[in-house]
Amino acid sequence: MARVDIAVEPSDFLNFVGLYLNDKAVGEKLQGMLQVNAITPWHPSIQGPLMPKQLQTWREARAKYNTEGFTKDPIGLVEFIGCSCAEDSGNSVTAELHIPAAVLDIARKREPFIGVSAVTGTQFNKPMSTVACLEYINLHIRADKQNQLHLHAEMTGQDKEAIRAAGHNEETLPARILKEKMEREHLYANVKQLTRKTVK
């Protein structure tokens, strides 16, 4: 099982910057989009065993995919946690995850991602890694301007406060997870520099 911490950020990156820097000019109603802030593997020795409902979900998924002929494919569980509050008690949902053999083959090859700079048009390769995969997922969601993935929604006050808390360098769980994401993903590099200049 894996824990996936998700949050909602503004669809317009400039609004993210405004919230992060606590700019009062940022509008009250903001279009947001889902972002994956962290993926953490489940360690039974640390987090304890699966809950009975989770175990039942996995057993049912395993049986279903066995019946469909996927007996050799791994079946996992993913717990999506929407943690936009100060405590580690956000809303969560657990879902089955069938990992097809073809996907595992791609992952094992670890071929780099091929991208194109939006600024220069230059093609570049980025080594496949967990960090690169998370960044790619988030960029893919961000690029969905027409909301074809249905991952856009109006931001709540809690969503906005989590970003402001990160900008204030608070130590709430959502703020810490967002700051870690900002350290990983290139999109946020200039925001961090801007923050450092503002603090001086």
Side-chain angles (χ1 to χ4, degrees), residues 43-63:
H43 296 287
S45 60
I46 298 170
Q47 285 103 343
L50 294 176
M51 303 294 284
K53 176 71 175 139
Q54 293 169 326
L55 200 51
Q56 177 186 344
T57 300
W58 181 84
R59 285 182 178 136
E60 289 171 0
R62 178 76 273 171

Side-chain angles (χ1 to χ4, degrees), residues 21-195:
L21 298 176
N22 204 24
D23 183 349
K24 303 298 182 196
V26 175
E28 211 33 55
K29 286 193 171 196
L30 293 179
Q31 177 68 23
M33 64 183 172
L34 181 114
Q35 289 284 276
V36 178
N37 284 357
I39 297 179
T40 311
W42 182 270
H43 296 287
S45 60
I46 298 170
Q47 285 103 343
L50 294 176
M51 303 294 284
K53 176 71 175 139
Q54 293 169 326
L55 200 51
Q56 177 186 344
T57 300
W58 181 84
R59 285 182 178 136
E60 289 171 0
R62 178 76 273 171
K64 177 176 85 173
Y65 288 106
N66 285 352
T67 302
E68 293 175 6
F70 299 108
T71 56
K72 294 185 179 181
D73 290 357
I75 305 298
L77 295 177
V78 180
E79 182 181 27
F80 293 96
I81 298 182
C83 197
S84 60
C85 54
E87 304 297 322
D88 186 10
S89 60
N91 295 322
S92 74
V93 64
T94 301
E96 65 189 54
L97 177 65
H98 169 223
I99 306 170
V103 171
L104 284 176
D105 290 341
I106 291 169
R108 286 183 184 118
K109 289 179 186 173
R110 300 185 65 80
E111 292 182 7
F113 289 109
I114 298 171
V116 178
S117 169
V119 177
T120 65
T122 307
Q123 186 172 328
F124 62 89
N125 291 341
K126 188 168 196 171
M128 181 184 280
S129 67
T130 304
V131 169
C133 289
L134 283 175
E135 187 170 14
Y136 184 81
I137 290 167
N138 287 330
L139 287 173
H140 185 69
I141 295 168
R142 186 173 294 283
D144 179 25
K145 302 297 184 194
Q146 303 301 315
N147 196 22
Q148 293 175 335
L149 299 172
H150 301 285
L151 297 175
H152 290 241
E154 187 174 317
M155 292 186 73
T156 67
Q158 284 184 323
D159 296 329
K160 292 183 250 183
E161 190 50 43
I163 296 168
R164 287 186 184 109
H168 291 134
N169 213 22
E170 293 178 16
E171 286 301 314
T172 62
L173 180 66
R176 283 195 322 266
I177 290 173
L178 177 56
K179 288 185 287 187
E180 289 169 8
K181 174 190 175 192
M182 292 175 71
E183 288 292 324
R184 285 191 315 263
E185 296 188 12
H186 292 91
L187 179 65
Y188 301 93
N190 290 332
V191 177
K192 291 183 301 185
Q193 289 176 353
L194 185 60
T195 305

